[in-house]
Amino acid sequence: SQQGEEDPQALSIQEGENATMNCSYKTSINNLQWYRQNSGRGLVHLILIRSNEREKHSGRLRVTLDTSKKSSSLLITASRAADTASYFCATDEYGGSQGNLIFGKGTKLSVKP
Amino acid sequence: DAEITQSPRHKITETGRQVTLACHQTWNHNNMFWYRQDLGHGLRLIHYSYGVQDTNKGEVSDGYSVSRSNTEDLPLTLESAASSQTSVYFCASSGIDEKLFFGSGTQLSVL
């Protein structure tokens, strides 16, 4: 069953702009992860945020987590054409099987030069 | 460098045939996973393994099987391929840091 739901499904921006993607989930979690998928390739891990963390940064990426609202957001600042990809959130459910992540359907980001 | 490789990259088969997709990782990870990716469904878990001789069913396991005879390999077998199993299949592995490392995928078409 789907746990995370990303919003929007698709996002088109100009190079240099910021991109914000949101993820909502249904149950308590141990951690939430974001992945990127370039067309025709496998997913690549971007960032992991634990349930007791509220914000995390990695380069141009900023992830927030609000466990009371069961939501997370991924912000990409100063976007580049190379950021064009699909972005997925994945949750590690509290009480679930170890390492068994449940993925959302993804946000397709298009960054125009 | 450590990596996870899948083969073949593309496979066309006929309905009813047995098909095996290979997955090999050199991360020395205990955990390995098989997902399928379909438009409108995202990634769905098929089977997973936490170590040698351990296998578990995921959300969409019907019609699929796996075996884990060593740490490096988790082959996925479609016992009798069906058109509904046309999909892109991804293998992944993870260690203690809980991050998944994915292979490049296998595009399977069942005609």
Side-chain angles (χ1 to χ4, degrees):
Chain A
S1 59
Q2 223 72 38
Q3 162 78 306
E5 291 289 338
E6 290 91 343
D7 171 59
Q9 291 186 0
L11 180 61
S12 182
I13 60 174
Q14 295 294 131
E15 216 167 21
E17 294 180 340
N18 295 341
T20 299
M21 288 158 270
N22 302 296
C23 170
S24 59
Y25 57 92
K26 299 173 184 173
T27 65
S28 296
I29 60 172
N30 294 317
N31 67 67
L32 184 145
Q33 303 181 34
W34 285 90
Y35 288 80
R36 183 188 73 230
Q37 184 180 33
N38 291 90
S39 182
R41 308 292 297 273
L43 281 73
V44 175
H45 180 270
L46 295 176
I47 200 163
L48 180 154
I49 187 165
R50 300 199 180 278
S51 60
N52 61 352
E53 298 175 309
R54 291 297 167 258
E55 187 171 314
K56 213 161 182 184
H57 296 256
S58 177
R60 293 183 296 112
L61 305 181
R62 172 179 170 251
V63 168
T64 60
L65 179 65
D66 186 335
T67 53
S68 67
K69 295 181 179 178
K70 292 186 169 60
S71 68
S72 173
S73 67
L74 170 67
L75 168 67
I76 304 174
T77 60
S79 62
R80 307 165 181 169
D83 294 327
T84 294
S86 291
Y87 292 82
F88 295 86
C89 68
T91 50
D92 180 5
E93 287 188 337
Y94 179 78
S97 300
Q98 172 201 350
N100 187 341
L101 297 182
I102 301 176
F103 285 82
K105 296 179 183 179
T107 291
K108 193 168 186 177
L109 174 65
S110 175
V111 182
K112 301 184 188 307
Chain B
D1 286 346
E3 60 181 358
I4 179 165
T5 55
Q6 294 183 233
S7 61
R9 285 281 280 145
H10 302 274
K11 174 76 176 178
I12 300 174
T13 191
E14 296 177 344
T15 302
R17 289 192 180 265
Q18 182 180 81
V19 176
T20 296
L21 309 183
C23 175
H24 179 82
Q25 53 99 0
T26 58
W27 291 98
N28 199 33
H29 285 158
N30 285 326
N31 304 335
M32 294 185 74
F33 306 84
W34 274 104
Y35 289 88
R36 60 177 289 175
Q37 185 176 33
D38 305 285
L39 280 174
H41 289 280
L43 275 85
R44 292 181 291 175
L45 183 63
I46 305 171
H47 280 286
Y48 58 102
S49 168
Y50 291 145
V52 177
Q53 302 301 329
D54 175 75
T55 60
N56 305 280
K57 294 181 179 181
E59 178 189 357
V60 290
S61 61
D62 286 349
Y64 304 94
S65 64
V66 294
S67 61
R68 187 90 180 269
S69 59
N70 58 51
T71 300
E72 296 80 17
D73 299 289
L74 187 71
L76 176 71
T77 297
L78 287 67
E79 302 293 343
S80 177
S83 57
S84 61
Q85 294 176 309
T86 291
S87 186
V88 181
Y89 291 85
F90 287 100
C91 180
S93 69
S94 69
I96 58 173
D97 63 2
E98 302 169 58
K99 303 171 187 176
L100 285 178
F101 291 83
F102 281 83
S104 296
T106 294
Q107 171 73 60
L108 176 67
S109 297
V110 183
L111 305 178

